[in-house]
Amino acid sequence: MSALADLYPDVRSIYIDFLEVEKFDPDLANYTLINPTLSIKSAEVAVKRMVSHALTNPFLHFRIKGLPRDSRIEIRKLRAKHLGTFVSIEGLVRKATEVRPRVTIAEFECVRCLHRITVEQEGMLFHEPLECSKDDGGCGRGTGSTKFKLLTDPSKFVDTQKIEIQEPPEGLRGGAQPERLVGYIDDDLSGRISPGDRIMLNGILRSQQKGSQVKSTLFEISLDTNSIEYEEHEYEEVLITPEDELKIHEFAASPDAFDRIIASISPTIYGYEQEKEAMALQLFGGVSKLMDDGTRIRGDIHIALIGDPGTAKSQILRYMAQLAPRGIYTSGKSSSAAGLTAAAVKDEFGEGRWTLEAGALVLADKGLCCIDELDKMNDQDRSAIHESLEQGTISVAKAGITATLQSRCAVLGAANPKYGRFDASRNIAEQIDLPPALLSRFDAIFTMTDRPNAEQDRKVAKHILKAHRRGEVKLHESPEKITAVDAMEILRDSKDLMPAMERDFFRKYVAYSKRITPIMSDEAVRTLEGYYVSIRKLGEGDEASVPITARQLEALIRMSEASARARLSSLVSGEDAGRSIKIVEYYLGKVASEGGKRDIDLIATGTSRSQRDQMYELRNLVQQLSDERRGVSAEELIQKAGAKNIPEDRVRALLKRLSDAGEVYSPQAGYFKLASGERIG
Ligand code: ADP
Ligand code: MG
């Protein structure tokens, strides 16, 4: 207390652990929970008497931390009985306004007699004096015959901030929408919170009447924050007991551990073995590193699923969002202002202030962000998402707000092909409708095509029917009594649809694995280096394409590290490296090869080597054939290009690309002319 007296008013908060109060006087502790306003106010008054400067600065706060478990209430469970009581609320900060002053003690002057009147301001509504009271020496005039002028200098102000928190995703049952709560923060606590933070707010639940013109009997709730506690540990929400630890190590030691992990990923979805393996690795994640020069290298593994409609993309994403600790499922075309990234907005919420709002990637910080319909995201997200994928941050600079929010999450994205369905006769990479700069930041890109194939179709159909049948039987309380079908047989037969690991255990296993930071063995380094160099070699020679870039090498490293983590091993083995090579080979073979040849530029730049050659060719044709006035007709170009083995639809596609890039323009419909003498890149 004496320390406070010395530091006051720079330090104006006294922190008390609730346990201390309870030890000192259980009745007082109990009273504080039920009637915190009075209890805390009395404590503040008592302390102010002891601190002499109190007269010059009215702010001094008694802040209580560590409320008992009973006072922890989920946002959706807040009820009328909690109004006015002390509660502890856990959540994820979604919005935070700028810090702005609020008047707490307003000084007025009566314009007729110059008498000073002080009005203490409580809550959000501004209170003015009703009369210049004679009792304390005024002239006695009411608001009808005099006016009151606010004197800002002698008035007292306090910093305030308004925030909105939402329920943490892991507490939500099966895809329920998170509920939200508004919180007010005062004085020295304001300005410390950013959107995306996981916090516990301790405070008093208040109510405000709805409606400004016509008063309603309905009330809104909000929290008057008394103290803030931060969630310190990344995976704190997953509690691991010593018995769990034993089970976790036992599991990791079993020879089929990895197979069982894969068998726990969307078991009701048939096939996609490689995809599931990659998604399992994504959950464990690579090692995030801080280099000596201050650069951070991400450990998060990003995966994109691009496929025909009805290939279970959405289903898989939803499953993964529930399985992963801190998983979030969202859609690229989400309607909130913050979208996937973040936004600064000036709306009702801020009451005149700017509000910083966190999008899905920020809310999923240190978790998994599953983004469906990635191709439909808005332009603002499209430009801000790169930073998040690579650096794990999102910067907002708008209207005087400059903020950097954390978004260190792995991304599992899903998108449809450009024209809704893959066209088997065309190059797959051409049909992916994502900017190459974005696509090349994914560590693995899987394409899922859905073409009729009798053998495969039968297997998928069998699997889906089995899943539905099992679901039907499971709705019955006593399946052994069913006579029409052999229900027990159906249950036994579909055992493989059960996840090989229970979800709770799986989450614990993943959370536990994050404690391990594996190091690459000599063998792993040799294996990865050998693979990289040998694939690059395929591209040597002057006419060659680039088969693979350093980005894929980093992807290989991350996946190898994740594979070691999945075994709880602190050493990345050659086998781990082999597993990641298998995955990269699998997807590159599908998306980054043309005519059997590897060409990473299909992903990295969106144009293959052969396409680039054709583009130069076509550009030359436009230049040669153009006449001064009209340019050259599409028909003529198609005919001449045909002679050079460039098919018609390719010519049309390339013409569109050249126009989009501003290389050629149309002086009139159907004619093309070179825009400038510049080269194309
Ligand atoms: P998408 O998002 O790719 O368009 P959905 O996730 O909406 O597809 O999938 C459509 C439905 O088809 C889902 O109910 C899903 O379970 C089912 N389905 C598709 N492919 C498979 C599969 N291989 N195994 C089991 N079910 C599947
Ligand atoms: Mg879908």
Side-chain angles (χ1 to χ4, degrees):
M1 204 67 81
S2 63
L4 179 86
D6 291 342
L7 294 172
Y8 186 85
D10 291 333
V11 175
R12 324 185 266 281
S13 291
I14 304 172
Y15 285 95
I16 304 264
D17 204 314
F18 186 80
L19 268 178
E20 297 288 322
V21 186
E22 210 163 29
K23 260 192 247 158
F24 174 71
D25 183 349
D27 286 340
L28 176 65
N30 218 0
Y31 181 76
T32 305
L33 290 180
I34 301 162
N35 201 341
T37 316
L38 199 60
S39 175
I40 292 173
K41 193 134 204 159
S42 314
E44 285 174 2
V45 168
V47 176
K48 265 189 217 172
R49 285 210 191 109
M50 295 157 63
V51 185
S52 55
H53 323 266
L55 291 174
T56 58
N57 192 321
F59 306 122
L60 191 146
H61 313 280
F62 231 80
R63 305 201 186 274
I64 301 177
K65 282 191 166 181
L67 294 200
R69 279 222 156 245
D70 301 349
S71 303
R72 270 198 209 179
I73 321 274
E74 286 173 40
I75 295 178
R76 65 180 59 229
K77 295 203 174 130
L78 288 171
R79 293 290 176 266
K81 68 174 180 195
H82 297 119
L83 287 174
T85 67
F86 216 163
V87 289
S88 208
I89 290 166
E90 207 184 344
L92 203 51
V93 180
R94 188 185 173 86
K95 297 180 182 178
T97 66
E98 298 171 284
V99 179
R100 285 288 178 267
R102 174 170 71 83
V103 64
T104 54
I105 296 173
E107 286 270 335
F108 293 93
E109 190 180 71
C110 169
V111 294
R112 301 297 279 273
C113 72
L114 303 185
H115 177 64
R116 293 271 191 99
I117 303 142
T118 308
V119 182
E120 228 178 286
Q121 303 287 330
E122 296 259 357
M124 294 306 290
L125 280 184
F126 187 56
H127 297 285
E128 288 175 282
L130 294 174
E131 57 164 15
C132 182
S133 174
K134 259 188 180 146
D135 294 349
D136 49 43
C139 59
R141 289 190 180 88
T143 38
S145 44
T146 182
K147 286 208 164 60
F148 299 100
K149 195 166 99 190
L150 177 69
L151 305 172
T152 47
D153 276 351
S155 294
K156 298 274 184 236
F157 292 87
V158 65
D159 286 327
T160 62
Q161 190 180 24
K162 183 179 176 185
I163 64 170
E164 185 179 75
I165 60 171
Q166 76 174 40
E167 296 170 300
E170 51 277 351
L172 298 175
R173 294 253 164 264
Q177 279 299 310
E179 294 209 7
R180 301 170 186 178
L181 178 72
V182 168
Y184 291 95
I185 296 174
D186 266 359
D187 205 16
D188 51 348
L189 288 188
S190 46
R192 294 193 193 174
I193 287 178
S194 320
D197 286 352
R198 281 173 175 254
I199 54 171
M200 180 120 80
L201 290 181
N202 304 314
I204 304 161
L205 194 67
R206 302 266 188 225
S207 57
Q208 285 116 24
Q209 198 162 16
K210 271 185 145 180
S212 46
Q213 252 77 48
V214 183
K215 291 219 166 116
S216 154
T217 50
L218 286 181
F219 281 72
E220 276 295 351
I221 54 170
S222 65
L223 193 79
D224 247 352
T225 308
N226 175 264
S227 68
I228 304 170
E229 291 174 68
Y230 293 87
E231 284 195 22
E232 318 230 314
H233 302 293
E234 283 180 35
Y235 287 94
E236 198 182 42
E237 60 269 22
V238 183
L239 195 73
I240 299 169
T241 63
E243 293 93 83
D244 290 333
E245 226 176 303
L246 225 74
K247 264 175 46 189
I248 285 169
H249 279 283
E250 204 175 294
F251 181 91
S254 62
D256 60 346
F258 208 90
D259 293 333
R260 278 159 75 191
I261 289 170
I262 298 174
S264 306
I265 306 245
S266 274
T268 51
I269 303 299
Y270 177 82
Y272 301 128
E273 294 307 321
Q274 301 280 351
E275 287 82 353
K276 287 181 183 178
E277 188 167 350
M279 287 187 287
L281 293 181
Q282 182 180 42
L283 284 178
F284 294 99
V287 180
S288 150
K289 304 155 191 116
L290 191 65
M291 307 316 263
D292 299 309
D293 63 357
T295 341
R296 193 189 88 106
I297 301 182
R298 70 175 154 100
D300 303 311
I301 296 169
H302 305 314
I303 296 178
L305 307 175
I306 299 166
D308 290 336
T311 46
K313 299 184 297 296
S314 303
Q315 195 83 336
I316 291 173
L317 256 60
R318 258 184 242 115
Y319 189 91
M320 294 306 288
Q322 293 199 6
L323 186 60
R326 295 198 173 177
I328 280 188
Y329 172 86
T330 184
S331 168
K333 50 176 182 194
S334 91
S335 52
S336 90
L340 297 176
T341 53
V345 287
K346 200 165 192 168
D347 60 5
E348 233 173 89
F349 179 84
E351 293 159 17
R353 293 168 287 193
W354 283 89
T355 305
L356 195 55
E357 186 176 343
L361 287 162
V362 178
L363 296 176
D365 186 29
K366 296 184 186 166
L368 177 69
C369 191
C370 300
I371 309 174
D372 210 348
E373 322 234 358
L374 188 61
D375 44 338
K376 308 221 169 44
M377 69 185 155
N378 63 38
D379 293 343
Q380 175 202 336
D381 284 342
R382 217 173 264 264
S383 58
I385 197 171
H386 296 117
E387 185 192 344
S388 171
L389 288 172
E390 212 51 70
Q391 271 95 40
T393 54
I394 289 170
S395 305
V396 181
K398 185 180 168 190
I401 290 192
T402 51
T404 301
L405 303 176
Q406 302 286 357
S407 68
R408 296 154 293 183
C409 58
V411 172
L412 176 59
N416 281 80
K418 199 176 276 178
Y419 304 108
R421 184 178 287 284
F422 279 117
D423 179 345
S425 67
R426 283 159 176 267
N427 213 318
I428 278 191
E430 272 177 47
Q431 303 175 55
I432 298 177
D433 197 14
L434 287 172
L438 175 59
L439 198 61
S440 61
R441 281 180 169 78
F442 283 90
D443 297 274
I445 302 152
F446 295 108
T447 50
M448 300 156 116
T449 45
D450 183 22
R451 305 286 313 155
N453 169 326
E455 195 192 338
Q456 174 79 0
D457 293 346
R458 189 177 310 281
K459 285 185 191 154
V460 174
K462 269 208 166 96
H463 193 91
I464 294 179
L465 287 164
K466 194 161 82 172
H468 279 249
R469 219 170 173 202
R470 181 180 172 85
E472 288 162 358
V473 170
K474 283 193 68 163
L475 285 174
H476 291 261
E477 250 168 55
S478 30
E480 65 280 358
K481 291 202 191 121
I482 300 172
T483 51
V485 293
D486 189 348
M488 299 315 280
E489 172 70 25
I490 290 171
L491 286 181
R492 241 175 292 128
D493 205 40
S494 56
K495 271 226 161 63
D496 56 322
L497 292 175
M498 293 199 309
M501 299 161 83
E502 264 182 44
R503 182 170 295 181
D504 264 2
F505 179 66
F506 196 123
R507 290 171 67 119
K508 283 180 185 177
Y509 190 85
V510 171
Y512 185 85
S513 80
K514 306 267 178 180
R515 297 181 187 175
I516 295 158
T517 47
I519 298 175
M520 279 187 273
S521 65
D522 291 346
E523 196 195 344
V525 170
R526 259 199 315 276
T527 310
L528 293 181
E529 186 189 301
Y531 172 73
Y532 182 71
V533 172
S534 70
I535 294 288
R536 292 280 293 189
K537 241 202 179 84
L538 298 177
E540 271 178 20
D542 50 358
E543 271 213 59
S545 49
V546 178
I548 180 174
T549 72
R551 282 214 175 117
Q552 278 72 45
L553 180 58
E554 289 193 329
L556 284 165
I557 296 170
R558 280 189 275 273
M559 287 197 262
S560 307
E561 288 165 350
S563 168
R565 254 192 183 152
R567 302 181 290 116
L568 302 186
S569 162
S570 51
L571 198 67
V572 182
S573 66
E575 218 172 295
D576 293 321
R579 187 192 301 285
S580 68
I581 289 174
K582 210 176 76 202
I583 293 173
V584 169
E585 275 283 290
Y586 170 78
Y587 93 79
L588 283 183
K590 277 174 133 188
V591 296
S593 58
E594 197 180 48
K597 226 174 134 199
R598 280 297 150 76
D599 190 346
I600 198 65
D601 283 348
L602 283 165
I603 308 172
T605 66
T607 317
S608 70
R609 169 78 209 197
S610 68
Q611 278 175 356
R612 233 180 357 247
D613 290 345
Q614 289 173 348
M615 189 124 84
Y616 283 118
E617 197 80 64
L618 191 69
R619 192 176 169 280
N620 284 340
L621 283 178
V622 175
Q623 192 169 27
Q624 286 161 16
L625 303 174
S626 281
D627 74 30
E628 199 46 49
R629 212 166 42 83
R630 285 195 314 182
V632 51
S633 73
E635 283 66 39
E636 193 179 348
L637 279 173
I638 287 165
Q639 192 212 336
K640 289 275 170 19
K644 296 188 185 260
N645 281 328
I646 310 178
E648 172 173 349
D649 57 348
R650 177 59 64 77
V651 173
R652 290 194 190 278
L654 289 174
L655 276 174
K656 180 165 183 311
R657 261 185 116 118
L658 285 168
S659 320
D660 287 348
E663 288 277 334
V664 302
Y665 69 103
S666 299
Q668 73 181 71
Y671 282 79
F672 296 90
K673 214 175 156 192
L674 219 56
S676 70
E678 270 174 58
R679 278 171 51 84
I680 36 174

